[in-house]
Amino acid sequence: MVGMVQTPDDTRIPARSSRKAVPTWAVVFTVCAGQFLVVLDVAVVNTALPSMGAHLGLSAIGLQWVVNAYSIAFAGFMLLGGRAGDLFGRKRMFLVGLSLFTVASLAGGLAQEGWQLLAARAVQGLGAAVLAPSTLTLLTSAVPEGPARVRVIGTWTAVGAGGGAVGGAVGGVLTDLISWRWVLLINVPVGLLVLAAGIRCLAESRSGERRRLDLPGAVLITAGLATLAYGIVQTEVEGWTAPATLVPLAAGLLLIVAFLLVEARTKAPLMPLRLFRVRSVAAANATMMISGAAMFAMWFFMTVYAQNVLGYSPVQAGLALVPSSLTGVVGSKLAPRLMRLIGAKNVTVVGLLVAAAGVGWQSTMTPDGSYVTSILLPGMLMMLGAGLASTPLSSLATLGAAPGDAGLASGLINTSRTMGGALGLSILSTVAAARTAGAPGAASLTDGYAAAFRTSGLILLCGVVLVLLWMPRADRER
């Protein structure tokens, strides 16, 4: 007998009563495993960057693009991935994205030239963009709105932070004991296992609409982000007034403006601008972008500081950041309880202030700093704050969306975080390079990294002001 199951996002899907129901924990485990894999990749690659550069002859700017090729493709196509999940099925897009991510990981691990690695990283980002929006939407479809859903979102956020913890340690071990190639190849067996679990455990859901995908919009926003990031990086080499800097900066901004015009006029927009009429959605996404700009580069700078200045090996650098990542998990799990006590807005403010305190402490780093005061304690504060802020922001951004836009809303909050992170890494790397001014030595490198962290702290304080002035005061979570 075939019936119809009503999901929380007003999606009707066929269900066979003869099929044994899959436990909710299995759905949560499978979906969070997909999210874990996406975040794991960032942390693993960060630890291996110095080894990648030495083996493939990549410059400091090239290493930055190993991170940004992934991040920009991830951010630029995530809206498309969210909409594709709404239209064609969240389970289907989860499996397609995971397959693409796994194949690209194999290609990156076998790369023989720098451009091959960068191309594989971009395709990985595309796969992650298709996969990631479905993870949050599959969770919210499986768990009814209320305290249980808030706890599940907290788990989803905590798993992301846990990916950072495991990724740094695993990346260091693989790089030291085998090769940097295995930081990418490790995704292949893990991806195949999650793929098998997804086929077995996940139920299909979709919004029920049948509209065309806005491919021009996806291309415009991705090209705009990439061009803008390239222009920012060019300031490090050419200066702010050189044509080689001004042309890509202007072109990037024009492409982003063109994207907004297309979205305002097309019948099937990738990012319906009406979504931003919901004040909590608009404020949450703006705050997430600011937080991403400030915090995403933390892993990059702490990794290169540990290896290039303090002389840590890859495995030592990876293990050194594990406590920080675990503190992020604690913050993510603590956030839902605090949301019930003081509200989502106040938890966001507290999280951003705690992160800013950690960033400020980190900016006092020295060339001969100790592990406890130069990495451990400031890193724990930064990640505790990031974990506290991310959960309420994700909750506010998704709960305010219409049922048919569930995938889009979850894709949008991830896009905002990743878009901010990609641009933030470009900006903060430029700040660090300008302070260093090409001078060799540990002291000069440390000055540059410290300047980047000071700038990051100012960005976080701007986020606090934005939340206080713009974010509506939501009802306390029950």
Side-chain angles (χ1 to χ4, degrees):
M1 175 179 178
V2 178
M4 301 301 294
V5 177
Q6 183 74 38
T7 66
D9 59 350
D10 199 29
T11 301
R12 292 184 178 273
I13 55 177
R16 297 187 183 275
S17 58
S18 60
R19 179 183 176 183
K20 186 178 180 180
V22 176
T24 301
W25 69 262
V27 176
V28 174
F29 177 83
T30 302
V31 170
C32 287
Q35 174 73 2
F36 176 83
L37 193 61
V38 171
V39 179
L40 176 79
D41 186 73
V42 177
V44 164
V45 168
N46 266 329
T47 308
L49 284 174
S51 297
M52 288 179 177
H55 191 269
L56 296 179
L58 291 168
S59 65
I61 293 177
L63 292 179
Q64 180 182 323
W65 279 100
V66 171
V67 178
N68 265 356
Y70 178 90
S71 300
I72 290 173
F74 191 10
F77 284 99
M78 199 182 298
L79 293 175
L80 189 71
R83 178 53 72 192
D86 285 340
L87 302 184
F88 305 127
R90 283 77 183 242
K91 175 181 177 178
R92 180 178 298 170
M93 290 300 102
F94 179 91
L95 298 178
V96 168
L98 182 59
S99 299
L100 189 60
F101 181 89
T102 303
V103 171
S105 297
L106 178 62
L110 299 177
Q112 300 299 314
E113 302 287 344
W115 68 267
Q116 294 172 348
L117 177 60
L118 296 181
R121 291 287 291 162
V123 178
Q124 271 190 303
L126 175 60
V130 175
L131 181 157
S134 296
T135 62
L136 185 55
T137 313
L138 285 166
L139 283 183
T140 56
S141 296
V143 181
E145 185 173 328
R149 182 183 290 185
V150 173
R151 288 194 296 270
V152 165
I153 292 175
T155 299
W156 176 80
T157 306
V159 163
V166 175
V170 170
V173 170
L174 292 174
T175 302
D176 261 358
L177 299 185
I178 310 177
S179 165
W180 65 264
R181 296 183 181 280
W182 277 94
V183 304
L184 297 171
L185 294 176
I186 191 66
N187 292 331
V188 178
V190 177
L192 291 175
L193 288 174
V194 178
L195 192 65
I199 293 172
R200 172 66 182 87
C201 297
L202 300 181
E204 189 59 279
S205 70
R206 59 174 62 88
S207 69
E209 296 180 87
R210 286 294 177 188
R211 298 190 300 174
R212 293 180 303 170
L213 286 175
D214 180 20
L215 186 58
V219 172
L220 283 171
I221 188 60
T222 304
L225 284 174
T227 307
L228 188 61
Y230 176 77
I232 294 170
V233 171
Q234 283 296 98
T235 64
E236 177 182 333
V237 180
E238 304 289 344
W240 284 97
T241 59
T245 297
L246 295 177
V247 170
L249 286 176
L253 292 174
L254 286 175
L255 287 168
I256 293 173
V257 170
F259 165 73
L260 295 175
L261 292 176
V262 167
E263 299 310 285
R265 296 173 182 237
T266 186
K267 293 181 180 179
L270 180 66
M271 185 181 72
L273 299 183
R274 70 175 184 276
L275 199 60
F276 291 100
R277 295 174 187 168
V278 181
R279 187 175 171 188
S280 61
V281 173
N285 277 277
T287 306
M288 186 66 88
M289 181 177 289
I290 288 175
S291 176
M295 297 301 298
F296 182 80
M298 163 195 166
W299 301 108
F300 179 87
F301 286 111
M302 292 190 75
T303 299
V304 293
Y305 170 66
Q307 294 188 53
N308 294 343
V309 175
L310 300 184
Y312 287 20
S313 68
V315 69
Q316 288 174 325
L319 292 174
L321 297 179
V322 168
S324 302
S325 300
L326 293 178
T327 307
V329 176
V330 172
S332 299
K333 297 300 291 181
L334 183 62
R337 299 181 183 181
L338 293 178
M339 289 163 64
R340 291 193 294 269
L341 294 174
I342 62 176
K345 176 178 178 177
N346 290 331
V347 175
T348 302
V349 171
V350 170
L352 293 176
L353 288 174
V354 171
V359 168
W361 188 348
Q362 186 66 62
S363 71
T364 64
M365 61 176 66
T366 61
D368 57 350
S370 69
Y371 168 66
V372 172
T373 58
S374 293
I375 293 181
L376 177 63
L377 296 180
M380 291 177 68
L381 267 184
M382 281 189 278
M383 287 308 299
L384 175 64
L388 286 172
S390 293
T391 298
L393 288 174
S394 298
S395 180
L396 287 167
T398 53
L399 290 179
D405 288 328
L408 174 64
S410 60
L412 186 59
I413 192 67
N414 278 294
T415 296
S416 298
R417 172 168 44 204
T418 311
M419 184 186 303
L423 295 178
L425 177 57
S426 299
I427 292 169
L428 296 174
S429 295
T430 302
V431 169
R435 184 61 181 264
T436 303
S444 181
L445 288 174
T446 303
D447 286 344
Y449 302 152
F453 278 105
R454 284 194 294 272
T455 305
S456 178
L458 293 175
I459 294 172
L460 285 171
L461 292 178
C462 290
V464 172
V465 174
L466 185 148
V467 172
L468 292 174
L469 297 181
W470 193 8
M471 185 76 73
R473 182 175 295 278
D475 292 335
R476 293 183 181 180
E477 304 289 341
R478 289 181 171 82

